[in-house]
Amino acid sequence: MLLKNDFWSLLCRGRKKKIVTLLVVLILLINAMFYVSLELYNTVKRKHKEPWYNSLHFDKDSYVDETGMRVIVGHYVGGIKGGDLPDDVVNSNNYAPVPGAGEGGRPVQLSQRELITARELYSLHSYNILVSDKISINRSLPDMRSESCRSVEFNLDNLPTATIIIVFHNEAWSTLMRTVMSVLNRSPGVLLKQVILVDDASDRRYLGEELDKAIAKLDKVQILRNPTRTGLVGARLMGAREAVGDVLVFLDAHCEVTQGWLEPLLDRAGNDDVFICPHIDLLSDDTMSYTKSIDAHWGAFSWRLHFRWLIPGSDVLALKSANPSKPYPTPTMAGGLFAVRKSLFWRLGGYDEGMLIWGAENLELSWRAWQCGARVEITSCSRVGHIFRRHSPYKYPGGVAKVLNSNLARAATVWMDEWAEFFFKFNPSIAAIRDQQTVADRVELRKNLKCKSFKWYLENVWPQHFFPTDDRWFGRIRSDIGGCLGVPAGTPGVGRPASTVPCGNDLDLDSLVVYTPEGRVMADEGLCLQQGNGRAVWSACSDSSKQLWVQKGPRLKTPSGLCLTLYLTEKDDKDKDGGFITSKKCIQDNRQIWHLERVPWR
Ligand code: UDP
Ligand code: MN
């Protein structure tokens, strides 16, 4: 105490007192400045911690739904292109595995500096090449199979043999080789006849001699070179023609197969009446982590014929839960990953060689399989990881739209009957190139195989479909106070609050809906109008009675007798969109009046 007093009296006299005060103020100021800069630093750091790909542009056809499943592929709309990366960067193979990186399917994180480079290189492959190059081509992976799948025992002597066909165009070295090594490391030797790589006219230097040398060292692996770029159909056919195994197993060039993947595929494909697909898990395009994709999914397509993962019908869900290791039917396959007995593949006409580069071949093959007496199925016991990309990294000679549209036009013309007319009516730019397609041989094939109609397909394979039919009403549901029922363009997604959209014209699919005899109001993408808690929402179509709307004159009523009502706030544009939709007690109110304007669907 004494000491302390002496100290202060010494310091705080006269001028010294002022200096001390000044010093104290200065210290306080420095402190404050320190905290401000610390805060600033943290904010910047937080920003940097956000996944680097967040700043990339997402196209409207890829989004992550509320279950965390990435819903994509079906239609690439442009995308970010390669930019001006120097030749030596584009053509070099920088595979340099870091011990432990990505083992067990774990994500690989990059340093701040590497993130910048990774971002610059992203457009090369539409996935993180820096991360891929750090992971061993022989990395370990988790076993995602259910207990019931793991306990199934196969007698290998009774299974047919397999030829694995992997086609690629300008793929990265590390992802391509990791696909090959995962197959070699995880397929029983007696079942694996050969692995055929088909190079679809890649022009990257490292995919030339360097790849030949690496492949030469591997038992059972061979490489075929397509002299001119045909696209995946031509390349897969090239591989299939060389196959000596009983079953053809197709894989993309950025897959990783896991423990026990091959046996369930061969077991089912042995039957000679089915195209059997593995359960496709997710390899992150950012960190290359291996994660489970949702269990209950099957493949279907939207009104615009974009491939979609959807929840299967309730009968299939019941079948799945009663017998989780049993393969289940799917309206369509995703594309690149499936197994089929070679004899069946050729008997049904292989692939449509008129389909170039990428797209629609998965729909065509699936429709053909079902309509011509075979099946398409998924087995959850075969787990294969695939890198889903948000953009197609390679060039489409002639342009993306032209290539895709002519493939779609071919598939629709040959297989969809009346629904081809629906598709062409609402896609005039595709209708315009319809007559340029020479599909006589495919139509002939359909006739020779005595294939069933598209109507049969919709009714029997995909009874939950949301397409218009002759016994479903199709058109616009226009509110008396403005706007029409519909899902705003480019924002599909379940659980979206329902509001009205601009009514558009007769060709505007966004404001057109199907109204079924049972009372479901269905929009594109399998969305049904559902009374939620408080608001009406667009929800995945299901058996729920909350999705039933009974038409009584100009009103739409819930089973309990409430009326569909539109509330507009002042800021909503009453001619166009906005508003709040819910069901309320029926009264004399034009907010409850809806005009059903029929539009011919074909
Ligand atoms: N592919 C090909 N030639 C092409 C386009 C694609 O060989 O002109 C290959 C591609 O390298 C991949 C497979 O076909 O192994 C499927 O293509 P992609 O992975 O781009 O399709 P997605 O999985 O995105 O549907
Ligand atoms: Mn792919």
Side-chain angles (χ1 to χ4, degrees):
M1 195 54 136
L2 238 173
L3 252 175
K4 211 174 173 187
N5 277 344
D6 286 353
F7 177 75
W8 278 110
S9 56
L10 206 82
L11 276 178
C12 304
R13 254 178 278 143
R15 219 175 63 196
K16 274 187 186 156
K17 196 174 174 181
K18 271 186 199 155
I19 291 171
V20 169
T21 321
L22 214 81
L23 264 172
V24 169
V25 171
L26 235 133
I27 288 168
L28 279 175
L29 251 166
I30 288 169
N31 249 316
M33 271 165 67
F34 173 74
Y35 279 114
V36 167
S37 17
L38 194 74
E39 212 27 60
L40 261 170
Y41 171 77
N42 277 337
T43 325
V44 171
K45 209 169 137 200
R46 260 201 303 277
K47 249 196 184 145
H48 271 279
K49 265 202 172 149
E50 273 202 5
W52 54 276
Y53 54 80
N54 269 5
S55 52
L56 291 175
H57 144 90
F58 279 74
D59 66 60
K60 74 185 171 97
D61 291 317
S62 70
Y63 57 96
V64 175
D65 75 9
E66 57 182 10
T67 60
M69 170 117 175
R70 181 173 302 152
V71 181
I72 12 164
V73 274
H75 206 73
Y76 286 120
V77 281
I80 29 168
K81 284 291 161 222
D84 300 320
L85 291 168
D87 221 45
D88 58 320
V89 171
V90 173
N91 284 293
S92 60
N93 165 21
N94 296 311
Y95 172 58
V98 174
E103 286 302 325
R106 274 184 286 278
V108 174
Q109 307 295 350
L110 297 178
S111 70
Q112 295 294 330
R113 270 234 328 251
E114 288 171 320
L115 280 178
I116 296 167
T117 317
R119 188 171 173 183
E120 282 164 6
L121 297 178
Y122 184 86
S123 58
L124 264 180
H125 303 285
S126 286
Y127 49 73
N128 193 334
I129 183 61
L130 237 66
V131 162
S132 178
D133 283 347
K134 281 178 190 283
I135 302 174
S136 162
I137 56 174
N138 288 300
R139 79 153 149 179
S140 58
L141 287 176
D143 184 350
M144 294 295 190
R145 294 172 301 168
S146 65
E147 207 50 61
S148 63
C149 284
R150 268 180 258 183
S151 62
V152 179
E153 282 181 21
F154 297 96
N155 182 349
L156 299 195
D157 297 333
N158 292 342
L159 293 181
T161 58
T163 290
I164 318 293
I165 299 168
I166 302 166
V167 305
F168 63 93
H169 175 75
N170 284 346
E171 190 70 41
W173 166 281
S174 48
T175 54
L176 173 65
M177 288 305 283
R178 203 152 39 242
T179 308
V180 175
M181 295 315 294
S182 76
V183 167
L184 295 179
N185 293 337
R186 299 195 182 94
S187 308
V190 287
L191 301 179
L192 188 65
K193 257 275 170 5
Q194 53 181 170
V195 178
I196 302 179
L197 303 185
V198 186
D199 171 13
D200 189 18
S202 302
D203 52 22
R204 302 270 158 90
R205 249 188 325 268
Y206 61 83
L207 293 173
E209 241 172 77
E210 193 180 339
L211 181 64
D212 281 337
K213 278 194 195 132
I215 295 301
K217 289 190 199 130
L218 301 173
D219 199 21
K220 296 188 187 178
V221 187
Q222 68 191 85
I223 182 162
L224 305 176
R225 308 276 187 177
N226 201 358
T228 48
R229 173 120 179 258
T230 58
L232 64 91
V233 161
R236 281 187 196 151
L237 284 171
M238 192 174 186
R241 288 188 188 111
E242 291 297 311
V244 294
D246 305 316
V247 171
L248 310 174
V249 183
F250 295 96
L251 291 177
D252 277 6
H254 34 258
C255 290
E256 287 177 65
V257 306
T258 69
Q259 180 73 30
W261 78 290
L262 189 57
E263 294 89 327
L265 292 178
L266 295 182
D267 184 45
R268 190 73 189 96
N271 275 27
D272 202 28
D273 67 343
V274 62
F275 290 73
I276 178 83
C277 309
H279 175 113
I280 309 178
D281 283 320
L282 311 170
L283 289 173
S284 161
D285 61 339
D286 174 26
T287 65
M288 296 287 154
S289 64
Y290 188 107
T291 49
K292 238 183 191 163
S293 63
I294 57 162
D295 214 25
H297 66 253
W298 73 6
F301 45 92
S302 69
W303 287 348
R304 296 175 176 89
L305 301 185
H306 299 178
F307 174 81
R308 291 287 183 259
W309 293 114
L310 297 175
I311 307 291
S314 49
D315 49 339
V316 168
L317 289 178
L319 179 114
K320 266 177 72 71
S321 67
N323 198 341
S325 62
K326 206 171 140 55
Y328 60 96
T330 174
T332 77
M333 64 169 74
L337 288 64
F338 66 95
V340 60
R341 206 176 243 279
K342 196 171 57 186
S343 48
L344 175 65
F345 181 72
W346 291 121
R347 193 168 73 240
L348 287 194
Y351 264 120
D352 175 2
E353 264 194 291
M355 290 195 164
L356 303 178
I357 309 300
W358 180 96
E361 90 292 341
N362 58 327
L363 302 184
E364 193 274 343
L365 183 57
S366 307
W367 296 335
R368 178 153 46 92
W370 280 113
Q371 288 172 242
C372 305
R375 301 167 61 78
V376 186
E377 295 180 350
I378 298 172
T379 168
S380 347
C381 294
S382 173
R383 316 287 296 217
V384 179
H386 169 258
I387 308 177
F388 286 93
R389 304 193 263 212
R390 274 164 274 184
H391 297 283
S392 202
Y394 36 74
K395 292 194 182 84
Y396 284 67
V400 188
K402 188 166 176 284
V403 168
L404 265 174
N405 290 350
S406 56
N407 291 349
L408 285 168
R410 295 181 73 85
T413 304
V414 179
W415 299 103
M416 290 182 81
D417 306 329
E418 301 95 290
W419 287 271
E421 303 312 317
F422 168 66
F423 176 67
F424 287 123
K425 176 173 180 178
F426 292 95
N427 294 278
S429 62
I430 305 182
I433 56 163
R434 181 184 192 177
D435 293 339
Q436 293 164 20
Q437 311 304 319
T438 45
V439 289
D441 56 333
R442 304 308 286 181
V443 173
E444 183 74 11
L445 174 81
R446 179 174 168 175
K447 212 186 280 161
N448 291 341
L449 290 171
K450 298 190 171 51
C451 305
K452 297 191 186 81
S453 65
F454 201 74
K455 181 168 191 278
W456 173 89
Y457 168 83
L458 286 179
E459 284 171 359
N460 293 279
V461 180
W462 190 20
Q464 305 77 6
H465 77 86
F466 43 86
F467 278 72
T469 61
D470 282 340
D471 49 14
R472 288 174 171 183
W473 183 92
F474 183 72
R476 261 184 309 263
I477 302 185
R478 187 191 293 270
S479 162
D480 199 46
I481 61 167
C484 281
L485 281 183
V487 182
T491 53
V494 289
R496 279 186 66 86
S499 60
T500 48
V501 298
C503 287
N505 58 35
D506 274 9
L507 289 185
D508 208 340
L509 285 179
D510 295 327
S511 55
L512 293 171
V513 293
V514 160
Y515 181 48
T516 70
E518 313 86 70
R520 276 189 186 78
V521 177
M522 295 172 157
D524 192 8
E525 306 284 352
L527 296 176
C528 278
L529 186 68
Q530 171 172 319
Q531 182 53 48
N533 300 327
R535 285 185 81 144
V537 294
W538 288 108
S539 196
C541 294
S542 69
D543 298 337
S544 169
S545 64
K546 289 183 185 158
Q547 295 184 353
L548 297 182
W549 304 92
V550 192
Q551 191 199 356
K552 292 267 166 65
R555 289 162 204 272
L556 289 166
K557 294 191 178 183
T558 65
S560 57
L562 298 176
C563 278
L564 187 70
T565 313
L566 169 66
Y567 294 98
L568 291 179
T569 64
E570 261 172 34
K571 70 174 177 33
D572 298 325
D573 182 341
K574 75 181 171 61
D575 294 324
K576 297 198 183 81
D577 50 350
F580 177 107
I581 297 179
T582 188
S583 53
K584 279 274 148 57
K585 192 165 171 265
C586 302
I587 48 168
Q588 273 305 334
D589 188 341
N590 61 352
R591 291 181 292 191
Q592 296 183 343
I593 304 297
W594 299 90
H595 305 284
L596 274 68
E597 303 171 358
R598 186 187 283 274
V599 171
W601 60 271
R602 56 183 164 120

